[in-house]
Amino acid sequence: ATLEAAEAECKATKKVLERVEKEASERVRRALASSQETRAEKEDAEARADAADALSASLEKSAEEARRGFVKARREFSAKERALVAERDAARAELAASKAAARRATREAE
């Protein structure tokens, strides 16, 4: 009877061990799957971060090029404005000289 009880207890212990082993294997499988999923998410996040860095660098470069273009256009506009002001001043001086000559001619004619 004692032997039968020991065998029954041994069988019960084996079943418990099998169940525990099966549960442990399932937990290990889930942990591995979770770890792989986490690793994939990490790699995806790193790829998105790299893409964001590349976009940021591209936008910074574009902004710098736009700033340089604006500075160049402002310089060109200033030069054109100075040339137009000089041309206007020369035209005014020429007009003033013509008026003065016309007045002298009118006085001389009288």
Side-chain angles (χ1 to χ4, degrees):
T2 306
L3 182 59
E4 290 174 5
E7 286 178 355
E9 187 177 335
C10 186
K11 282 183 182 179
T13 303
K14 281 183 181 180
K15 284 187 178 184
V16 168
L17 283 174
E18 287 173 359
R19 182 175 45 83
V20 168
E21 190 176 300
K22 187 177 180 182
E23 289 174 359
S25 294
E26 180 61 23
R27 276 187 291 214
V28 166
R29 187 194 63 74
R30 281 194 305 248
L32 285 173
S34 176
S35 174
Q36 289 172 344
E37 185 178 321
T38 301
R39 188 176 303 119
E41 288 173 356
K42 176 185 172 244
E43 289 171 358
D44 185 48
E46 287 174 345
R48 285 194 315 265
D50 289 345
D53 287 344
L55 177 61
S56 175
S58 174
L59 290 173
E60 287 175 2
K61 181 179 177 184
S62 294
E64 180 61 23
E65 288 173 358
R67 187 192 67 75
R68 276 195 230 113
F70 174 75
V71 168
K72 180 181 176 187
R74 187 174 57 199
R75 269 194 230 112
E76 289 173 357
F77 173 78
S78 294
K80 287 177 185 176
E81 184 181 33
R82 283 192 300 276
L84 287 172
V85 167
E87 190 177 327
R88 180 199 65 197
D89 291 347
R92 283 181 178 170
E94 189 177 327
L95 179 63
S98 294
K99 284 182 180 178
R103 281 193 296 272
R104 273 193 305 273
T106 303
R107 272 183 287 204
E108 288 175 3
E110 291 174 351

